[in-house]
Amino acid sequence: MASPQHDLLRFLVFLLYLLVLPAVFRKLTPRLPSFAKALTATLLLAQVIIVALAVQLQSQDSVLAKLVDVTEERNPAVALAGLQLALVAAYSILIAWLARAAPIWQRLYYLGLGAVFFYLSWDELFVLHEGMPNWAIYYFGAGVVIVTATLIVAWRSPRRARIWHGSFLAGLAVSALGAIGLEHLRFPPTCRPLGLYYIDKCLLKYIEEPMEFLGIWLALLATLGLISELAPPPNRRLRRLLMGLPVLALLVIVFTSDPDLNRVRSKTGAIETDLRGEAGARVYGYRLDLAPDAAFLEATIWLSAPPFSYAGLGYSVHLLDQADGSTLAGQDEFVTVDGGSVLGPFYLPIFRQTLQLSLPPETRANRAYWVVLRLWREEDGAYVSQKALAADRRSLSDTQIALDELVVPAAPIATDGVPRARFDNGFVLFAAVAPASASPAETLNLEMTWRADTAGEHDYTQFLHLVNEETGELFAFDQQPLGARLPTRLWYSGLADTETWRIPLPADLAPGRYQFWTGLYRADDQKRLGARDAAGTPYPDARVSLGAIYIEPA
């Protein structure tokens, strides 16, 4: 049910148009040629529809409300405002080109006016003034210059053109009152007692954008009127150009790359991605934040669906152990449209979704987990997984996408003493504890202690060679340094951990004394990683000596 303030807001917006439009249709539009009447009427109709919907849906959290909210940035409503500003710019430049009889200084005025309005159009679309301190002062100063120049040009123009200069100045005044005057309204103490306080602002602030819409429309009307007064009657080709400019400008606006999503990514640290599911669902970016105490993982994703098809759409985030495939934690949520949103390509609404995934106290540290995303939709009471049609991330199945990898850090163990080897990538091997002897067919336990002074970037495999001192017989065993639980690509700076290797010795391993050798090679190209001893001397062939072991007779 609408509140009295909501009803008052609708009345104020209606009153705004009622005060302006009758005079416009009585005094101005009859002077326009037919093509200009059709153009201005079309733009006015689009404006009225958007403003009416925006006022009606002011307090709703729906997709349509987001698309027509004139107080939002970078949505179809703002695109219409930017389109009107761009057309004022384009038609002002056309006046400078077509009004050959006007003095050169007047034509330069229209050319400068076009440049200013092109900037204003770009500002409306991409909010350029957001990072500009005291922007209102600069804009007010520019407005004073434009008004002064317009008055001078109107004074030196034919009398029949002055009504259009007046319309232009009236449009600037209405727009400036909304953009600067009401924008900086400081909630007078009388606002609430008079019933003018609505949601979280003085009610008058909510008519700021309709005033801007209407003011720029008046300026556009004026530029079309000046073309009809100052330029020769347009031929068919010029009329097609004048009518085609709105379509061209709208296409440029819609197809221009969207900076809002990029700005969201840069401000929030979101990672760009492109995941596409059934029925048009798409994920554009995500961010993962692990709580300092590892009590929860906050997952934020930016996703879209075709307009108005968010009902029943949901998503799941799970934590999957890479080593054994077990699920550590998971959570399912419906997509909501009441959170933050931006507009992506072709003005498709992209909504931010955030959930906190609680991690159990027994979460094992220094293990690699997949953060898995699944999209689903509720259909007749069933939750149907949506197939991933395209993904720039690893697919674990046709419905599960591994967004990223996560490691819960552990407190580092002590690594005192002289290291066995320092590898060229910042990994350090300390202890390598093995029994003095072993028997064939026995499982040999070998304890390896590692430290990472820099974060890992590649997957490395550690080799272990046992070489018979008498016969040269070689026994080789390879695995990841800390096992499958933590690949080296996920090692973090400061990691210090121990892994116990369990090496099955072959039953036919010849008895005798064997030398231990180890090292690292990159998994993708088998290239060994250089290593040095504690004194800085390189190990030949990148093989680190671990001592000797005696293999007893079977």
Side-chain angles (χ1 to χ4, degrees), residues 45-55 67-70 76-77 80 213:
L45 178 62
Q47 177 187 143
V48 168
I49 291 173
I50 284 182
V51 170
L53 285 174
V55 172
L67 293 176
V68 299
D69 189 346
V70 292
L80 178 60
F213 265 103

Side-chain angles (χ1 to χ4, degrees), residues 209-230:
E209 297 294 338
M211 289 182 70
E212 288 189 59
F213 265 103
L214 188 56
I216 298 307
W217 180 81
L218 281 174
L220 173 61
L221 187 80
T223 55
L224 285 169
L226 286 168
I227 288 178
S228 65
E229 294 292 348
L230 301 179

Side-chain angles (χ1 to χ4, degrees), residues 172-211:
L172 286 186
V174 172
S175 180
L177 180 59
I180 299 178
L182 296 186
E183 170 70 19
H184 292 78
L185 187 67
R186 297 302 180 186
F187 311 132
T190 56
C191 185
R192 193 186 295 271
L194 291 176
L196 295 175
Y197 201 77
Y198 178 59
I199 303 179
D200 61 348
K201 297 180 180 69
C202 191
L203 192 66
L204 295 179
K205 287 181 67 67
Y206 285 95
I207 65 171
E208 164 202 335
E209 297 294 338
M211 289 182 70

Side-chain angles (χ1 to χ4, degrees), residues 248-271:
L248 177 62
L250 186 60
L251 290 175
V252 170
I253 290 171
V254 172
F255 283 91
T256 299
S257 60
D258 182 2
D260 277 354
L261 189 57
N262 295 331
R263 188 167 70 244
V264 166
R265 290 174 183 143
S266 64
K267 284 185 177 181
T268 64
I271 299 173

Side-chain angles (χ1 to χ4, degrees), residues 86-119:
L87 290 178
V88 172
Y91 292 147
S92 296
I93 293 173
L94 277 176
I95 294 172
W97 175 45
L98 296 172
R100 306 276 173 84
I104 187 65
W105 65 271
Q106 290 190 13
R107 297 173 68 183
L108 289 175
Y109 156 80
Y110 290 112
L111 195 62
L113 202 62
V116 169
F117 273 85
F118 266 128
Y119 173 81

Side-chain angles (χ1 to χ4, degrees), residues 194-389:
L194 291 176
L196 295 175
Y197 201 77
Y198 178 59
I199 303 179
D200 61 348
K201 297 180 180 69
C202 191
L203 192 66
L204 295 179
K205 287 181 67 67
Y206 285 95
I207 65 171
E208 164 202 335
E209 297 294 338
M211 289 182 70
E212 288 189 59
F213 265 103
L214 188 56
I216 298 307
W217 180 81
L218 281 174
L220 173 61
L221 187 80
T223 55
L224 285 169
L226 286 168
I227 288 178
S228 65
E229 294 292 348
L230 301 179
N235 55 31
R236 180 179 298 179
R237 181 178 299 179
L238 182 57
R239 286 197 300 272
R240 288 176 179 175
L241 174 63
L242 293 171
M243 294 294 289
L245 275 175
V247 178
L248 177 62
L250 186 60
L251 290 175
V252 170
I253 290 171
V254 172
F255 283 91
T256 299
S257 60
D258 182 2
D260 277 354
L261 189 57
N262 295 331
R263 188 167 70 244
V264 166
R265 290 174 183 143
S266 64
K267 284 185 177 181
T268 64
I271 299 173
E272 182 178 359
T273 189
D274 188 6
L275 312 178
R276 303 174 190 235
E278 290 182 305
R282 185 173 177 182
V283 176
Y284 290 84
Y286 66 92
R287 174 175 171 170
L288 305 173
D289 295 293
L290 183 66
D293 59 356
F296 64 87
L297 172 70
E298 184 173 88
T300 303
I301 63 172
W302 283 265
L303 61 78
S304 72
F308 312 108
S309 69
Y310 289 86
L313 182 64
Y315 66 102
S316 303
V317 176
H318 291 79
L319 218 55
L320 196 67
D321 192 304
Q322 292 189 17
D324 59 23
S326 62
T327 299
L328 177 69
Q331 187 170 329
D332 306 328
E333 293 285 351
F334 280 103
V335 169
T336 60
V337 299
D338 57 351
S341 66
V342 294
L343 268 290
F346 308 106
Y347 286 78
L348 187 68
I350 300 172
F351 293 100
R352 183 185 68 240
Q353 311 294 312
T354 301
L355 63 76
Q356 286 190 352
L357 189 63
S358 298
L359 304 185
E362 64 273 15
T363 299
R364 290 174 288 180
N366 280 355
R367 294 187 70 86
Y369 296 96
W370 292 116
V371 181
V372 179
L373 176 69
R374 179 175 64 90
L375 299 178
W376 47 268
R377 190 178 289 275
E378 183 184 17
E379 298 177 3
D380 300 324
Y383 299 92
V384 181
S385 295
Q386 304 290 290
K387 290 184 178 180
L389 304 181

